[in-house]
Amino acid sequence: MGEKKLVRRRDLILLAVLLLIGAVMLGYWMLRPADLNGVAEVSVDGKVVMELPLKTDTEVVIDGYGGGEHPLVIQDGKADMVSASCPDGICVRHRAISADGESIICLPNRVVVTIRGGEEGVVDAVG
Amino acid sequence: MPSVKSKARQVALCGLLVALAFILSYVEALVPINLGIPGVKLGLANLVVLIALYTLDLRWAFTISVVRIVLAGLTFGGLFSMLYSLAGGLLSFVVMALLSRKNLLGTVGVSICGGVAHNIGQLLMAMLVLETGSVWYYFPVLLISGSVAGVLISLLGGWMTGRVRKFLSR
């Protein structure tokens, strides 16, 4: 464009570095183990409205800001948004979440579902 | 490229570019990308901002950048999506304006930084609106998508300015 060069070697290095950083962070998230003692924290417009333990299978309907409805299913230790009445339906496409810090976010209805890890050091006593 | 001095020419070009950006926003609204992560998009209208940055004065480029966001927001997105676009668009503009005036990166590099800055601006706005830091969980995907979008936009831009250079510089 203009007199300046379109592609320079630095551009390619920058691209490679950014992609690498992105890939490493993404890999970190993808490989995180599911948090069995985790809780799905649901907030609407910045306020926490529900805390659902991932251990218990359940299905709830989140009332979004401005009236949208978001059915949230918790099954096999994962939380998933199965349908939504928001304009873009982006949150529905998101995969089910189960690791500490993972989130499903619906911008139009201001709904955020975030996994919060169970207390550390507490070994789940089975039986 | 010889600088375009006549004010009338600048105004006319400015109007043309706003119209083009508006159309590109419409085209993008017709074919949304849905990966489950809000904010992942090509940002076709940024093509116009990039071209403006390299062919017009900064203030004209800035005007185009803001006007097209307001226009597209009112027409296709709604007020709230306009807030996100403004946050992304302004941060992206500042970053690209600074970088395009320095001899640090080529156009592709500038555009990559613009794409990433756009997504960071939107994340900051989402953090304010949703009052949660959880939004940064999307950062890795947005970093990658912003970089890739930046590359595509700059290549398109390079190809386009090659085609219309005669008109722009006469």
Side-chain angles (χ1 to χ4, degrees), chain B residues 42 54 62 84 95 101 109 119 123 127 133 139-140 147 149 162:
Chain B
L42 187 51
Y54 280 94
F62 183 74
Y84 290 104
V95 167
R101 264 55 184 173
N119 285 346
L123 277 174
M127 209 169 83
F139 180 67
S147 306

Side-chain angles (χ1 to χ4, degrees), chain A residues 1-8 10-11 18 25-26 29 46 88-90 93-94 102-105 107 110 114, chain B residues 1 34 36-38 80 84 100 103-109 112 130 134 137-141 157 161 165:
Chain A
M1 248 180 240
E3 292 142 355
K4 295 191 178 159
K5 279 190 91 171
L6 183 61
V7 194
R8 287 167 65 173
R10 295 167 176 196
D11 300 354
L18 291 179
M25 288 197 293
L26 198 62
W29 279 112
D88 51 24
I90 286 176
R93 278 295 298 273
H94 200 283
E102 286 189 308
S103 304
I104 299 177
I105 296 172
L107 291 181
R110 300 192 209 171
T114 302
Chain B
M1 178 185 304
N34 186 347
I37 312 265
F80 251 93
Y84 290 104
S100 66
N103 191 25
L104 278 173
L105 296 167
T107 311
V108 172
I112 291 172
L130 301 171
S134 300
Y137 164 62
Y138 288 160
F139 180 67
V141 173
T161 37
R165 176 160 296 149

Side-chain angles (χ1 to χ4, degrees), chain B residues 1-2 31 35 39 54 65-66 73 87 92 94 116 149:
Chain B
M1 178 185 304
V31 274
L35 296 181
Y54 280 94
S65 177
V66 173
S92 159
V94 170
V116 172

Side-chain angles (χ1 to χ4, degrees), chain B residues 9-23:
Chain B
R9 181 170 282 276
Q10 291 233 357
V11 171
L13 192 52
C14 200
L16 266 177
L17 288 176
V18 166
L20 181 60
F22 193 39
I23 291 291

Side-chain angles (χ1 to χ4, degrees), chain A:
Chain A
M1 248 180 240
E3 292 142 355
K4 295 191 178 159
K5 279 190 91 171
L6 183 61
V7 194
R8 287 167 65 173
R9 176 184 278 272
R10 295 167 176 196
D11 300 354
L12 299 176
I13 296 171
L14 176 73
L15 177 66
V17 169
L18 291 179
L19 290 182
L20 189 68
I21 295 174
V24 167
M25 288 197 293
L26 198 62
Y28 168 78
W29 279 112
M30 300 290 250
L31 296 177
R32 288 196 80 171
D35 197 322
L36 299 172
N37 293 313
V39 171
E41 182 191 277
V42 179
S43 74
V44 178
D45 196 27
K47 286 166 202 71
V48 177
V49 293
M50 279 179 234
E51 284 182 333
L52 309 159
L54 291 179
K55 270 186 207 162
T56 327
D57 288 0
T58 179
E59 189 172 345
V60 294
V61 175
I62 305 162
D63 293 316
Y65 181 89
E69 289 188 341
H70 292 254
L72 180 74
V73 171
I74 295 184
Q75 201 174 21
D76 306 327
K78 290 177 176 181
D80 195 16
M81 198 86 88
V82 287
S83 67
S85 61
C86 50
D88 51 24
I90 286 176
C91 51
V92 181
R93 278 295 298 273
H94 200 283
R95 68 198 175 95
I97 54 173
S98 57
D100 183 23
E102 286 189 308
S103 304
I104 299 177
I105 296 172
C106 172
L107 291 181
N109 286 331
R110 300 192 209 171
V111 172
V112 181
V113 181
T114 302
I115 305 297
R116 301 274 179 230
E119 287 111 279
E120 286 190 29
V122 178
V123 178
D124 195 17
V126 180

Side-chain angles (χ1 to χ4, degrees), chain B residues 121-152:
Chain B
Q122 291 188 311
L123 277 174
L124 289 173
M125 181 53 77
M127 209 169 83
L128 277 179
V129 173
L130 301 171
E131 296 171 47
T132 171
S134 300
V135 294
W136 291 96
Y137 164 62
Y138 288 160
F139 180 67
V141 173
L142 290 173
L143 182 65
I144 294 173
S145 79
S147 306
V148 172
V151 171
L152 295 176

